[in-house]
């Protein structure tokens, strides 16, 4: 707009007049100027003709000319960025581009220019208002006089005529054009008539009375042999499509579609045949393709606006299109002489059927398309299926090179002038494939099947079609090495079919109906079968085809329903070993690839890619508990580890490239390939850590340190953990941190250091920077939201095995002075700087003392819920003494005789922790003070203290249940023990009677009755050799032999805690400490006789069991403090399998375990019990399983903590007794079922705390309120029926390699 002429000014004035005249009534009715402005600003929303105003068109064109190229560039950038970040969304794209354009310099310039121009125009209009009014009146008089000439006035409210309103397209003018378009007129006259028609506003033309006659003339003109004349007609059509609303463009579209339909049906037109092919330099072909392309372009644009118009317009467009595409010529002659149908030309201009994809996207149009296809145009689908069938038959009979030639032109950006018949058939096949693929996504589309084909007896069902697609992957050739040009699309059959199948996999309902059946999976695995057998029924099956197949299988395995199909097939109860399921075949093939037992691809550049693709499928399977269970026999962890070690050695041997040498690029490429393969293998190994048993297998390979380092490197670079993983690193880190070796690996990799450094920057540094620009009030939450993520990560990390390895036998730094720049890097530093603040130097080193110390105290509170961790911290750092001392310093002298505690966040938190760590008991056995203040005069009514004992208000009154020995059911059970003939049914009878009592009278099983039951049952059970899992061990030590042996400080503190709890429950008497100490000493000596000698850097394997023996302590309390009974029971009980899972020290470095299991430091409780808890949780309580994954926490860690401390602090004493009795009477697998019952009981709480993002804290800190073992007995019996064969069998296999 650098030059603004008087003509431009006049044109703009005319446009503004048209606009204001059209909205005159709306503005005139406005009560104020402000309201009038609002009406104009919202005109696009309220006026359906808004986009037809010439002024709006002018502005749009001006913006397009000025900013169009810039908008296109920004859109291309955004689209490429979205592809990289895997984000999508049309709205997001538009918002982003709009914002960038709005902020640009060019936009500001155009707005400034427009503003100046419009000011000139508006001022001129105001100054010449009266003159304009006079001219307007004269114009109206002239129009009245010329009515006899039959002017055609525009009935449309949008007045979409021309750039100035002095021109109207009249009926007389149109009649003149019709006469001039007559074929008998000279060529120049016809050209001029067309030129006049093209320059006229389309709305004027379409609203004239002679429009029908004009349509007929235009249809005749379309057949004109003169290309220039035909082009001008198409120009008019294109102009109409661009500038007119739908009800006008619909007329033009249907007219053009009808013309093309008649054109193809006419025998007079020279339409190419399959044998002659299509020469696109031929003038007739060029003209035809232009018409088809014009239709196709409109097809792709129409869905963006037709929803704003009546449905009948869209229906007419759809029906005219389907009618055209359904046109078929006489098929009586040879196929080679077949005249090309319209769909061949549509396939040429839109090979991937983008128009159909857009029409099927929205329900508004999809419903119409599918309804018409079903009722009138099903032949269109039939021919598409027929084309795919014919192409497959062609692939089976022709050579690879011949077929490959057909696909070369597709996606080739070079100019092609001729398409042979075979190439046309191939293009039509691709078009048909895309249509069918889009059709299958939708339920109504799938209902069109089965399809009956000519010359075929059987109909083609959905499964048949999917089998056909699958066969196309490996029967048809692929582009060489999958290395098509980055600027050209890959139109190879395999890649096109794979893309269709990927889309189907992403639609769960569609995948279940189409893909998840044995027939399709078997077809996918057919080439794998052939390769393993050494046969090749599919000679064209290449590495590329295998990669595509693996991609589809990985997507199937990533969904629960697909995974179950691969693991068990459609008939899960089928036990035929002859027919292996998909998972077995995939695992066998992957193992052969890794072990290089398949020679057909040896030396291939794509072999590592094929290996990686199939291992990726296995990874989807063994990353789940049930999948790992199925794949265990194949020892994939060993094969992958072996391949990784071999690759790692190769990467070290890659020669250093010499500058100037020709081999530099090849060496560099080889090095990159080897490194990529090495990382891929490490990623595969790392995914074993997703399950407890998988983590044991990973540790056996000896590569856990490298895998954790690899994980940390990806974490540090903010990379996704894995392509198919739905959530982040939380679950993996939690699983790894639940083991001693895993915690050491996390420490060595730098993961813990990075985590603590990030926490420190957020806790001590981050908030101050924010306050400069955004000051905030003192945080209401004890842990600020910015630190919540770090807090949860530390909670996940600090399981007892991790704490013992990272903190055990280490003293606190306790420095005289701490620099403000000194950042903690390990767990000891966190304890020193945030938890045990026992010096002024530590307090002064904190910028945010109160918030940081509360963070440390909250962390201490959660961590100390693990009783072993509590005893370790107490033994090494005297945590309770530190807390009491801090409370003492928080006392204020109110008067000479009265002192009071200062109530603040720190003192309240310390008071809560002191009560928590000093009292043991379930939900009804201890009272924990709240952490929040109450409203009123006394905000904190709970008494604080700075020395023991605790105030009595924290100790509820507990009455010991009276022993009930006269119960009839109990009498029946005890009578069974006195039977002399104890056959197999004796055990079953005892178990049935026990279950009956647990369901009806659970409280009877307690006290001395429980003692008698346990003693008798275990004694009689061990008399049966078949029930003894471990051999009998002779033990003759006396109290005098063990009296002088020492217990660890953790055991000693555990004794104090046990006796305090026992006295509280009225189960133990004074002097019980000595008896319990002797019992523990005897146990250590007894178990030491059964231990193997192990050399390990892990602290937990150096010496005796690292924690306290909570099972023996529980049993001592059950036996009411009777030392002799306890020891006698333990000696008998140690022969049973149940002892391995209830009595954790029983298998500490035990010689009964495989040596690699001992060296891993992982207890069978973790790799067996908690593994099956996770497996059953997914099947039984799937919502809870998902909640754990979303929270980044593993069920195995909290179950390990529960089981390790025999549910102390989580269940009341009577429930702990029932837990132990149930596992002893009914079998160790009930340990798993009880955990599942607990999760089922907690389901609503777990889902709620998943939303509040504190699931870990809830599970660790809160007792299991309301849970009673007896309430879930029937549920657990059902679990036993369904899962005992698997769970108990694997529990029995702990003595041997679990493979």
């Amino acid at each position: 707009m650098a030059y603004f002429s008087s003509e431009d000014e006049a044109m703009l004035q005319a446009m503004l007049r048209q606009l204001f005249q059209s909205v005159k009534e709306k503005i005139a009715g406005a009560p104020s100027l402000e309201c009038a402005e609002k009406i104009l600003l919202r005109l696009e929303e309220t006026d359906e003709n808004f986009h037809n105003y010439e002024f709006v068109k002018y502005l749009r064109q001006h913006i397009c000319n000025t900013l169009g190229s810039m908008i296109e560039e920004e859109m291309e950038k955004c689209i490429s960025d979205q592809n990289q970040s895997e984000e999508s969304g049309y709205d997001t794209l538009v918002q982003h581009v709009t914002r960038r354009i709005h902020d640009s310099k060019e936009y500001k310039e155009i707005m400034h220019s427009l503003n100046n121009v419009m000011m000139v125009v508006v001022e001129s209009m105001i100054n010449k208002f009266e003159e304009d009014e006079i001219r307007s009146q004269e114009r109206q008089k002239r129009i009245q006089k010329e009515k006899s000439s039959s002017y055609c006035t525009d009935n449309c409210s949008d007045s979409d005529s021309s750039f100035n309103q002095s021109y109207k397209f009249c009926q007389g003018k149109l009649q003149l054009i019709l006469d001039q378009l007559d074929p008998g007129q000279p060529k120049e006259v016809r050209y001029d008539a067309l030129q006049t028609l093209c320059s006229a506003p389309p709305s004027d033309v379409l609203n004239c009375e002679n429009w029908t006659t004009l349509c007929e003339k235009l249809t005749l003109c379309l057949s004109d042999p003169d290309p220039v004349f035909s082009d001008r007609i198409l120009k008019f059509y294109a102009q109409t499509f661009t500038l007119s609303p739908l009800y006008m463009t619909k007329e033009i579209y249907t007219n053009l579609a009808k013309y093309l339909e008649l054109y193809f049906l006419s025998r007079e037109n020279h339409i190419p045949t399959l044998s002659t092919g299509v020469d696109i330099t031929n003038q007739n072909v060029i003209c035809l393709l232009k018409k088809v392309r014009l239709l196709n372009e409109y097809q792709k644009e129409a869905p963006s606006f037709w929803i704003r118009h009546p449905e009948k317009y869209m229906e007419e467009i759809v029906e005219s299109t389907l009618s055209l595409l359904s046109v078929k010529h006489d098929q009586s002659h040879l196929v080679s002489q077949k005249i090309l149908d319209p769909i061949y030309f549509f396939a040429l201009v839109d090979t991937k059927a983008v128009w159909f994809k857009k029409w099927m996207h929205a329900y508004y149009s999809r419903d119409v398309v599918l309804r018409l296809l079903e009722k009138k145009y099903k032949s269109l689908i039939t021919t598409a299926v027929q084309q795919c069938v014919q192409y497959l038959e062609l692939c089976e009979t022709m050579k690879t090179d011949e077929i490959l030639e057909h696909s070369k032109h597709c996606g080739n950006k070079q100019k092609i002038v001729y398409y042979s018949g075979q190439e046309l058939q191939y293009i039509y096949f691709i078009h048909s494939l895309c249509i069918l693929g889009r059709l299958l996504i939708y339920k109504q589309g799938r209902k069109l099947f089965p399809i009956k084909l000519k010359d075929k007896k059987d109909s083609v069902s959905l499964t048949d079609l999917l089998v056909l697609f699958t066969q196309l992957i490996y029967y048809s050739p692929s582009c060489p090495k999958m290395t098509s040009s980055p600027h050209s699309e890959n139109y190879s059959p395999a890649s096109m079919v794979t893309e269709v199948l990927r889309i189907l996999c992403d639609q769960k309902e569609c995948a279940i109906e189409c893909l998840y059946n044995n027939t399709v999976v078997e077809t996918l695995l057919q080439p794998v079968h052939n390769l393993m057998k050494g046969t090749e029924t599919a000679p064209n099956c290449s590495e590329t085809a295998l990669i595509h197949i693996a991609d589809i299988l990985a997507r199937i395995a990533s969904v629960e329903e697909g995974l179950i199909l691969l693991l068990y097939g459609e008939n899960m109860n089928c036990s035929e070993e002859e027919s292996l399921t998909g998972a077995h075949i995939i695992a066998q093939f992957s193992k052969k690839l890794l072990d290089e037992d398949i020679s057909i691809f040896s030396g291939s550049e794509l072999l590592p890619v094929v290996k990686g693709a199939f291992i990726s499928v296995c990874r989807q399977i063994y990353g789940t508990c049930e999948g790992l269970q199925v794949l265990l026999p194949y020892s994939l962890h060993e094969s992958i580890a072996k391949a990784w070690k071999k690759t790692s050695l190769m990467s070290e041997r890659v020669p250093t490239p010499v500058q100037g040498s020709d081999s530099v690029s090849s060496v560099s490429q080889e090095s990159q390939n080897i490194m990529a393969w090495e990382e891929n293998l490490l990623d595969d190994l790392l995914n074993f850590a997703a399950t407890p048993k998988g983590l044991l297998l990973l540790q056996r390979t000896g590569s856990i340190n490298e895998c954790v380092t690899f994980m940390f490197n990806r974490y540090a670079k903010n990379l996704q953990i894995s392509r198919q993983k739905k959530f982040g690193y939380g679950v993996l880190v939690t699983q790894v941190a639940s083991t001693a070796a895993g915690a050491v690996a996390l420490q060595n990799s730098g993961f813990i250091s990075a985590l603590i450094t990030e926490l420190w920057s957020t806790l001590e540094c981050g908030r101050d920077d924010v306050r400069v620009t955004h000051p905030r009030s003192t945080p209401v939450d004890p842990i600020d939201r910015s630190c919540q993520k770090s807090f949860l990560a530390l909670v996940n990390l600090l399981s007892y095995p991790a704490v013992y390895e990272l903190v055990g036998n280490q003293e606190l730094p306790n420095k005289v002075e701490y620099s403000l720049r000194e950042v903690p890097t390990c767990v000891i530093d966190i304890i020193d700087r945030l938890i045990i603040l026992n010096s002024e130097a530590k307090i002064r080193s904190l910028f945010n003392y109160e918030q940081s110390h509360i963070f440390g105290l909250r962390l201490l509170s959660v961590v100390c819920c693990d009783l072993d961790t509590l005893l370790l911290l107490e033994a090494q750092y005297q945590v309770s003494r530190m807390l009491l001392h801090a409370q003492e310093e928080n006392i204020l002298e109110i008067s000479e005789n009265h002192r009071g505690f200062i109530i603040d966040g720190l003192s309240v938190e310390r008071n809560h922790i002191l009560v928590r760590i000093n009292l043991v008991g379930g939900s009804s056995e201890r009272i924990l003070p709240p952490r929040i203040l109450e409203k009123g005069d006394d905000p904190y009514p709970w008494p604080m203290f700075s020395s023991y004992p605790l105030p009595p208000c924290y100790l509820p009154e507990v009455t010991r249940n009276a022993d009930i020995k006269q119960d009839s059911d109990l009498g029946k059970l005890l009578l069974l023990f006195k039977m002399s003939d104890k056959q197999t049914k004796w055990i079953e009878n005892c178990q049935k009677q026990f279950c009956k009592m647990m369901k009806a009278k659970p409280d009877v099983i307690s006290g001395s009755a429980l003692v008698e039951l346990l003693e008798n049952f275990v004694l009689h059970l061990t008399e049966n050799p078949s029930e003894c899992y471990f051999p009998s061990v002779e033990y003759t030590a006396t109290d005098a032999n063990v009296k002088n042996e020492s217990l660890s400080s953790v055991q000693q503190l555990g004794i104090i805690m046990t006796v305090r709890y026992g006295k509280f429950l009225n189960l133990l008497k004074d002097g019980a400490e000595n008896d319990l100490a002797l019992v523990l000493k005897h146990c250590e000596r007894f178990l030491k006789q059964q231990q193997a000698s192990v050399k390990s850097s892990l602290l937990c394997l150096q010496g005796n069991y690292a924690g306290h023996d909570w099972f023996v302590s529980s049993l001592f309390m059950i036996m009411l403090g009777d030392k002799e009974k306890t020891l006698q029971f333990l000696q008998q009980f140690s022969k049973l399998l149940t002892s391995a899972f209830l009595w954790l020290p029983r298998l500490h470095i035990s010689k009964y375990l495989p040596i690699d299991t001992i060296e891993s430091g992982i207890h069978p409780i973790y790799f067996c019990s908690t593994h099956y808890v996770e497996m059953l949780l997914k099947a039984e309580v799937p919502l809870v399983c998902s909640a754990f994954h979303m929270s980044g926490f593993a069920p195995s860690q909290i179950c390990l903590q529960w089981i390790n401390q025999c549910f102390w602090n989580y269940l009341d004493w009577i429930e702990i007794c029932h837990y132990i009795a149930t596992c002893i009477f009914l079998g160790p697998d009930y340990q798993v079922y009880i955990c599942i019952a607990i999760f089922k009981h907690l389901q609503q709480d777990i889902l709620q705390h998943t939303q509040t993002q504190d699931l870990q804290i809830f599970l660790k800190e809160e007792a299991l309120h309301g849970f009673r073992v007896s309430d879930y007995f029937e549920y657990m019996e059902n679990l036993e029926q369904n899962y005992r064969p698997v769970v108990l069998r694997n529990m029995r296999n702990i003595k041997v390699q679990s493979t």
Side-chain angles (χ1 to χ4, degrees), residues 556-798:
I556 291 174
S558 66
V559 179
E560 182 66 19
E561 290 81 2
L563 178 63
I564 290 171
L565 176 69
L566 291 177
L567 290 176
Y568 311 113
E570 284 182 297
N571 185 6
M572 293 180 62
N573 299 319
C574 181
S575 59
E576 297 178 13
E577 296 184 2
E578 297 176 4
S579 58
L580 292 174
T581 60
H584 290 280
I585 297 166
I586 294 163
Q588 289 176 3
F589 185 62
S590 302
K591 189 171 177 63
K592 281 181 175 287
L593 284 174
L594 286 168
D595 299 340
E596 299 182 355
D597 285 349
I598 296 179
S599 58
I600 188 170
F601 296 134
S602 58
S604 168
E605 292 180 18
L606 284 176
L607 182 57
V609 184
V610 176
K611 290 180 181 179
F614 274 91
I615 299 168
S616 178
V617 185
C618 293
R619 187 166 70 191
Q620 291 296 310
I621 299 172
Y622 66 64
T624 64
C625 295
E626 61 273 29
L628 183 65
Q629 189 66 36
V630 171
L631 299 192
L632 268 179
Y634 301 103
S635 301
L636 281 174
H637 61 290
E638 294 176 0
S639 298
I640 297 172
K642 182 181 174 183
W644 167 71
K645 288 169 185 173
K646 181 179 177 181
T647 309
S648 184
L649 287 172
M650 287 173 59
S651 65
E652 294 172 4
R653 294 175 185 169
V654 172
T656 305
V658 180
Q659 190 172 3
S661 170
D662 294 336
S663 63
V664 170
S665 59
S666 62
V667 169
S668 175
Q669 185 61 45
E670 181 186 1
S671 175
Q672 288 178 12
N673 292 340
I674 291 173
M675 286 180 64
W677 178 227
E678 184 181 358
E679 287 189 354
N680 198 13
L681 289 169
L682 275 177
D683 197 12
D684 296 327
L685 283 171
L686 175 64
N687 275 265
F688 276 100
T691 63
K693 186 171 285 187
L695 185 55
L696 172 68
L697 301 180
L698 175 59
Q699 292 200 18
R700 284 178 176 173
T701 65
S703 56
I704 186 166
N705 287 309
E706 290 81 2
C707 288
V708 172
T709 301
F710 168 76
M711 178 179 72
F712 170 63
N713 290 336
R714 291 185 66 83
Y715 171 81
K717 295 174 185 175
N718 291 321
L719 295 174
Q720 189 176 344
I721 189 167
S722 183
R723 188 183 65 181
Q724 282 93 4
K725 287 289 178 186
K726 297 179 177 67
F727 304 103
Y729 296 83
V731 174
L732 268 186
V733 173
T734 307
Q735 295 282 22
V736 171
S738 299
T739 65
V744 172
L746 287 168
Q747 174 93 323
N748 295 338
S749 70
F751 186 92
I752 294 176
S753 176
L755 179 65
I756 291 172
T757 303
E758 183 182 352
L759 160 67
W760 195 261
S761 65
T762 308
L763 192 63
E764 279 291 299
C765 311
R767 291 197 305 259
D768 287 339
D769 298 336
V770 178
R771 281 182 183 142
V772 172
T773 55
H774 184 65
R776 65 175 82 171
S777 57
T778 304
V780 175
D781 297 327
I783 297 175
D784 193 61
R785 297 300 298 174
S786 61
C787 304
Q788 183 77 3
K789 184 179 177 182
S790 299
F791 182 79
L792 295 177
L794 279 175
V795 170
N796 291 353
L797 176 70
L798 296 178

Side-chain angles (χ1 to χ4, degrees), residues 241-252:
F241 286 149
T242 305
L243 301 176
S244 302
L246 184 69
Y247 71 90
M248 298 181 184
T249 57
K250 179 263 298 181
E251 295 283 348
I252 291 292

Side-chain angles (χ1 to χ4, degrees), residues 13 65 143 341 409 426 491 551 556 621 887 928 933 948 978 1113 1157 1159 1251:
Q13 286 181 8
N65 294 340
I143 289 171
D341 297 323
H409 293 329
Y426 180 77
Y491 281 84
D551 184 12
I556 291 174
I621 299 172
Q887 290 294 75
L928 298 177
L933 302 182
Y948 291 135
K978 297 176 183 179
S1113 296
T1157 302
E1159 291 173 346
Q1251 289 184 332

